[in-house]
Amino acid sequence: MSMNDAVPLVPPDRLAKNSVGLAHIVFFVVAAAAPLTAVVGASPAAFAFGNGAGVPGAFVLAGLLYLVFSVGFAAMSRQIGGAGAFYTYIAQGLGKPAGVGGAFVALVTYSAVQIAVYALFGVFVAAALTPLGLDAPWWLWALVALVAVMFCGQRNIAFSGAILGVCMLAEIAILLLLDIGILAKGGGPEGFTFSSFAPATVFAPGLGVALVFVIGSFIGFEATAIFGEEAEQPEKTIPRATYIAVLLITVFYAFSTWAAVQFYGPSQVQAVAGTGLETFYFTAAGAVLGGWSVEVMNLLLITSLFACILSFHNTLNRYFFALGREGLALRALGKVHGVHGSPHVAGYVQSAVAAVILALFVSSGADPYTVVFSFMSALAVLGILAVQVLVSLAVIRFFRVTPTRHGVWTTLIAPALGLVGLVGALVLVTVNLSLLTGSESPLVMAFPYGIALVFLIGAGFSLFLRQRRPELYASLGEVFS
């Protein structure tokens, strides 16, 4: 079936089964991570403010953390289906109030990251088109992207998967070309060295700060499980997609940042990054590949951001859909397109919400980069770590009360290790919020309390339903297959 083919008619409250395979789901996760944006945008700050030449090792540490987290997460995915993903996992493991609280936090998280990337997309497109005579404000280009993403989200999920695949391969290709070019030239002023992975370098002062930026580069991790209802053989596809996606992201980030260390030299890379965060990779590309690569990299940054928005749009759609289907939100959100099998009503609603939030930022005169992108991305990192902590607890609790053939490593040790690592990461991000956002605004400092408040509101709403609508409460966190 081609990406343009319609799928068979589907029930009005079920997403189209067997719509996506392993490759599509991996594309969603990697596209959400936005490899080019993460490497070019986030890693220079990790180099400058973190552990310098040890940044590649920091990416490996983060990858190992998420691989350990994936052990219990993937095992639970074999028994838990549906479009709610983290919401369903938490509800099944920790109870309905915690599940609804986690769902509310997840909605805030993915809405925040989507708004952040819309703003960054608008900034990059405006900068690229202004020299060509198309002088328009950033928010206009953000709106154009919103409409295009909404259209793509209305189609069968394979349509978005194909677009994400093309964008992902293109952005990875340009960075790999740069990495290989550095290797072909024999490295930089200090030759080749693997000191970036040596414990003394990785665990140097600043590792905690580096991890603040590195952990944020893995956001979008949940996209594997959230498509379980639409996946082919989900009991096999979801675990495999989870491991493959985390491994791909980790290896790619570690290799690309290691190549940058070789280009500038381990002893100089931190100082160079500190004097030019925005030009760090573009300077290397121009020197190694030529001026054309800088233009191509700028263009692919834009497509990378579009792919990232599209991935999170589809993720948010399925959260809205799951909550609508269960009656936690408007029931209409739980309807699917009769032909494409997509949560089209949820897509319209969450696109409208994004447009309203963007309009509020624009009307307040907020700077798209230093305020909208920086503030919203920090809020998103806090939120996703909080939800992942809840999922780790849910996995442990779920396997304590659910018979399983899995061993103690899968059901207890790995989830517990992941929990410790994620709590540590959450603490690191919380204490370094001012560095992550570039602001000490009271609003930014209140983000952790805001996340906690959102969770309590969700949990409280669940308890309200238990009192007033017990039949609805009883169906919360239902597993759909």
Side-chain angles (χ1 to χ4, degrees), residues 201-219:
T201 307
V202 177
F203 293 95
L207 172 62
V209 175
L211 284 173
V212 170
F213 296 97
V214 167
I215 290 291
S217 299
F218 283 81
I219 197 168

Side-chain angles (χ1 to χ4, degrees), residues 23-40:
H24 284 118
I25 297 174
V26 171
F27 289 161
F28 272 101
V29 177
V30 178
L36 185 61
T37 304
V39 171
V40 175

Side-chain angles (χ1 to χ4, degrees), residues 105-246:
V105 174
L107 284 175
V108 170
T109 294
Y110 290 118
S111 296
V113 75
Q114 192 179 36
I115 296 301
V117 182
Y118 271 127
L120 198 58
F121 179 90
V123 169
F124 273 103
V125 173
L129 295 182
T130 297
L132 302 179
L134 294 174
D135 190 6
W138 69 270
W139 56 263
L140 178 62
W141 304 118
L143 182 61
V144 170
L146 187 148
V147 173
V149 164
M150 184 174 65
F151 169 78
C152 293
Q154 302 302 301
R155 306 297 299 275
N156 176 254
I157 191 65
F159 181 83
S160 293
I163 293 175
L164 294 174
V166 172
C167 292
M168 184 196 75
L169 292 174
E171 60 183 294
I172 286 178
I174 188 65
L175 270 178
L176 283 180
L177 199 59
L178 172 60
D179 299 340
I180 294 170
I182 292 172
L183 297 182
K185 288 181 177 294
E190 299 174 43
F192 286 122
T193 173
F194 291 95
S195 61
S196 290
F197 304 105
T201 307
V202 177
F203 293 95
L207 172 62
V209 175
L211 284 173
V212 170
F213 296 97
V214 167
I215 290 291
S217 299
F218 283 81
I219 197 168
F221 182 77
E222 182 184 3
T224 54
I226 206 165
F227 298 107
E229 193 171 323
E230 300 160 276
E232 300 168 357
Q233 297 183 296
E235 70 283 353
K236 295 180 180 179
T237 302
I238 300 305
R240 290 174 183 171
T242 302
Y243 288 121
I244 291 172
V246 174

Side-chain angles (χ1 to χ4, degrees), residues 82-93:
F86 281 177
Y87 156 57
T88 308
Y89 285 45
I90 297 169
Q92 291 286 320

Side-chain angles (χ1 to χ4, degrees), residues 446-457:
F447 280 170
Y449 303 103
I451 292 294
L453 179 60
V454 169
F455 175 81
L456 292 175
I457 290 173

Side-chain angles (χ1 to χ4, degrees), residues 240-255:
R240 290 174 183 171
T242 302
Y243 288 121
I244 291 172
V246 174
L247 282 170
L248 279 176
I249 292 170
T250 302
V251 170
F252 182 73
Y253 286 166
F255 178 58

